[in-house]
Amino acid sequence: MKLVFLSLLGVAGLAKIVGGANGPDEERHSFNAARDISIGYVVFNGYAPLDLWGPLQILTTLSADYNMTLSIISKEAGPVSSSSPPHRMPNGEMMSTDHVINSTMLATHTPETAPPLNLLMIPGGLGNRNMGNDTWIEDFARARFNSTDYVASVCTGAMSLAKAGVLDGRRATTNKRAWSEVVQHGNNVTWVPNARWTHDGKVWTSSGVAAGMDMTYALLSWMYGSEKVNSTMNLIELAPHTDEHWDPYAVVHKVPGADTTRPMKDLVGPVGYD
Amino acid sequence: MKLVFLSLLGVAGLAKIVGGANGPDEERHSFNAARDISIGYVVFNGYAPLDLWGPLQILTTLSADYNMTLSIISKEAGPVSSSSPPHRMPNGEMMSTDHVINSTMLATHTPETAPPLNLLMIPGGLGNRNMGNDTWIEDFARARFNSTDYVASVCTGAMSLAKAGVLDGRRATTNKRAWSEVVQHGNNVTWVPNARWTHDGKVWTSSGVAAGMDMTYALLSWMYGSEKVNSTMNLIELAPHTDEHWDPYAVVHKVPGADTTRPMKDLVGPVGYD
C-alpha cells in the first residue's frame, strides 16, 4: 500500500514527504543518501576554471560514496574554452583576453539533451557576462528551476540566476570584484555583501571563484550530513571556511555595505577536528 | 657590447646571471616579469581535477599580468578523462572507478610536440599510480628536467618525479593518504611528512590535491614577488595557507613522523592584509 501511495506521488511528492531539499536534517540526509543524484554543471566559453573544478573535485571524490551522475551542459556539446571572446565591459571599454592562457573542457550535453536534474550548478567567469543577446543559460536555469531540488551558483554565476528571475525575493551573493555589475540584475533580490555564501530555500549562491568550494562543502553537508563529506574533504586535503559570514573580500574590493569591523582572517583546518 | 655578451651566453646563461630560478629575490622577480614563461602541465586519464585546475586558475588569472603560454601535455593530444581505468591497488585488490563521476579536458600537446618549458607541472590522481609499464610521464619529466627552470608536482605527481629519478638527493612531499605508496619510490629522497609543500632548488612538491594551490601561490610569489600574485589571489577570493609546515593531514592520515604537537588549524585570510 505504501509503495502504491509513493508511486502515485512520484519522486517530487516523495521528496516533500521524506525530506527533499528542505526537510528535517536526518530525513534529508537519509533520503539523499538512498537515491541517485543527477548533477548538471553548466559551462560556457570564458568560464573561470576553479568555479567548475573546485566544486567538481569535491563532487567527484564524494561520488565514490553516494550515487551521482554528472552532465556537463553547454549550448553545444564538445570543447568549451576558459577563454572569452573580446567583448565590451560595462564601463564601455573593449576587453580582449587573447593574452590570457586558457584550457578546454568537454561538454557532454546541451540544454535539449540534459537529463532531469536534482542539482543544477552555474559557474561564473567573464563568459556569462559577455553573451550579448544569447540567453541560453538564463533560459535553461529558468526552465529547470522548478524541477530541480538544489540550484547553486559560483561567483558571477549568480548573474545568470538573477537574469533568469529565479533569485527574485531571495537572498544571494556573488563575486566581490564584479559586485556592482551583478547586483543590477534581478528584481527584489536581497544581495548580501558580507557572505562567503548564502542559502535561501533551494538556492545556494557563493562569492567569487574559490568561495564555490566552501559553498559546496556546506551544500553537500546539508544534503548528506557531515560524515562522508568530511572524509572527502580530508582526503583531498581541502580545509573549507565554514563561517558563511566570513568575507574579507567584500572589504578588499570595497563592496558597499562591507563590514570592516570583522577580523580579516579565518581559522580553518581539517573538518571534524576541533 | 652587453647585448652581444648576453646573446653569446644564451637564455640559460642569462638566467644564471640575473637570477633565474635561484638568484636573489629582486633579480629573479624582474627577470621573470620581463620574459615569456612557457608552462607545461602534464595530464593523464585518472588525474585529480583540482590538482590541475586549482593551480591553473591562479596561473590563468596571473597571465593577465605576465607573459605566459600554456601547453596541456598528454601521451596523445585530445580528450583526457578524470576517470581511471580499473586497476590493481598496491594491496593487490582490483579497484574500479566506474561508479565515480568524471569530466574531460583537452590536451593540446604530446611529449613530442611540447615546446621548450620554463615551468613543468605534474599533477596526481589515481591515474599516474596505475600505468603499468607505461612510463611516458617519468620519461618526459626526466627528459625535460635539465632544460626547465621550475618543476612542480601536486599530490601523487611526486611519484612520477620520484620514478623519474629527479627527486634523488632532494626534499619532497606528497599526498598524505597515499604516503606509503609514494615514498617507496626514488633513491635518497628526503620525504618530508609534515609539509603543505616543499621547495628544494628548482623542485617544488605539494601535499594532496588542494595543497597544490598553496604551493602555486608560494612558487609564483617566489618567481614574481608578491604584489601582482597577491592581487590575483584576492581577485579569485582564494586565501592560501602560507605556512609550508602547516600539515594537519599528516596527522589525519597517520603518516609516520606526523607532528601531533602542532595546532590542527591555520589562520588564513586575504594575502597582503595583516
Side-chain angles (χ1 to χ4, degrees), chain B residues 20-40:
Chain B
N22 293 304
D25 288 350
E26 284 187 23
E27 288 183 7
R28 183 176 57 251
H29 300 165
S30 322
F31 176 69
N32 281 324
R35 66 173 175 162
D36 291 342
I37 300 284
S38 169
I39 304 164

Side-chain angles (χ1 to χ4, degrees), chain B residues 36 107 110 119 131 176 179 185 192:
Chain B
D36 291 342
T110 66
L119 167 58
M131 297 188 67
K176 295 300 144 56
W179 184 261
H185 299 282
V192 185

Side-chain angles (χ1 to χ4, degrees), chain A residues 88-101:
Chain A
R88 193 170 296 281
M89 294 293 282
N91 63 7
E93 277 176 32
M94 280 303 292
M95 182 169 183
S96 165
T97 58
D98 287 353
H99 57 301
V100 176
I101 59 176

Side-chain angles (χ1 to χ4, degrees), chain B residues 27-274:
Chain B
E27 288 183 7
R28 183 176 57 251
H29 300 165
S30 322
F31 176 69
N32 281 324
R35 66 173 175 162
D36 291 342
I37 300 284
S38 169
I39 304 164
Y41 221 118
V42 160
V43 67
F44 43 80
N45 288 319
Y47 68 90
L50 196 58
D51 283 22
L52 270 92
W53 295 80
L56 271 184
Q57 174 68 61
I58 305 173
L59 291 165
T60 298
T61 306
L62 190 65
S63 74
D65 290 315
Y66 297 118
N67 289 324
M68 301 180 188
T69 53
L70 174 64
S71 309
I72 305 283
I73 303 160
S74 197
K75 190 174 183 182
E76 295 174 18
V80 183
S81 169
S82 64
S83 183
S84 181
H87 55 280
R88 193 170 296 281
M89 295 292 283
N91 64 6
E93 277 177 29
M94 279 305 290
M95 181 168 182
S96 164
T97 57
D98 288 352
H99 58 301
V100 175
I101 60 176
N102 64 82
S103 39
T104 296
M105 65 180 305
L106 283 184
T108 56
H109 290 77
T110 66
E112 294 73 30
T113 64
L117 300 175
N118 301 107
L119 167 58
L120 172 62
M121 301 282 300
I122 312 266
L126 279 174
N128 74 329
R129 296 142 68 187
N130 168 35
M131 297 188 67
N133 295 324
D134 189 349
T135 59
W136 81 263
I137 303 175
E138 296 97 282
D139 296 343
F140 182 66
R142 194 184 305 108
R144 293 301 188 98
F145 187 78
N146 285 336
S147 62
T148 303
D149 301 318
Y150 306 97
V151 176
S153 65
V154 178
C155 192
T156 58
M159 180 188 267
S160 300
L161 292 184
K163 286 180 171 176
V166 301
L167 297 184
D168 293 352
R170 294 185 190 263
R171 297 166 65 252
T173 198
T174 187
N175 180 294
K176 295 300 144 56
R177 173 70 177 271
W179 184 261
S180 60
E181 185 186 345
V182 174
V183 299
Q184 319 169 20
H185 299 282
N187 294 311
N188 192 27
V189 180
T190 303
W191 291 104
V192 185
N194 302 290
R196 188 68 171 165
W197 73 86
T198 65
H199 170 203
D200 188 344
K202 73 198 279 181
V203 177
W204 298 67
T205 64
S206 91
S207 191
V209 195
M213 295 183 283
D214 298 332
M215 176 192 72
T216 301
Y217 168 70
L219 165 59
L220 292 172
S221 302
W222 171 262
M223 287 174 64
Y224 292 109
S226 57
E227 191 189 354
K228 291 180 180 177
V229 180
N230 282 357
S231 295
T232 286
M233 298 300 283
N234 292 344
L235 201 58
I236 63 174
E237 303 189 28
L238 178 53
H241 300 271
T242 57
D243 174 1
E244 66 188 275
H245 305 295
W246 176 76
D247 188 7
Y249 299 103
V251 179
V252 169
H253 297 300
K254 300 184 172 58
V255 169
D259 182 356
T260 57
T261 67
R262 286 178 60 100
M264 293 292 273
K265 302 208 172 185
D266 188 22
L267 193 64
V268 307
V271 279
Y273 291 77
D274 289 327

Side-chain angles (χ1 to χ4, degrees), chain A residues 38-39 114-118 144 147:
Chain A
S38 169
I39 303 164
L117 300 175
N118 301 107
R144 293 302 188 96
S147 61

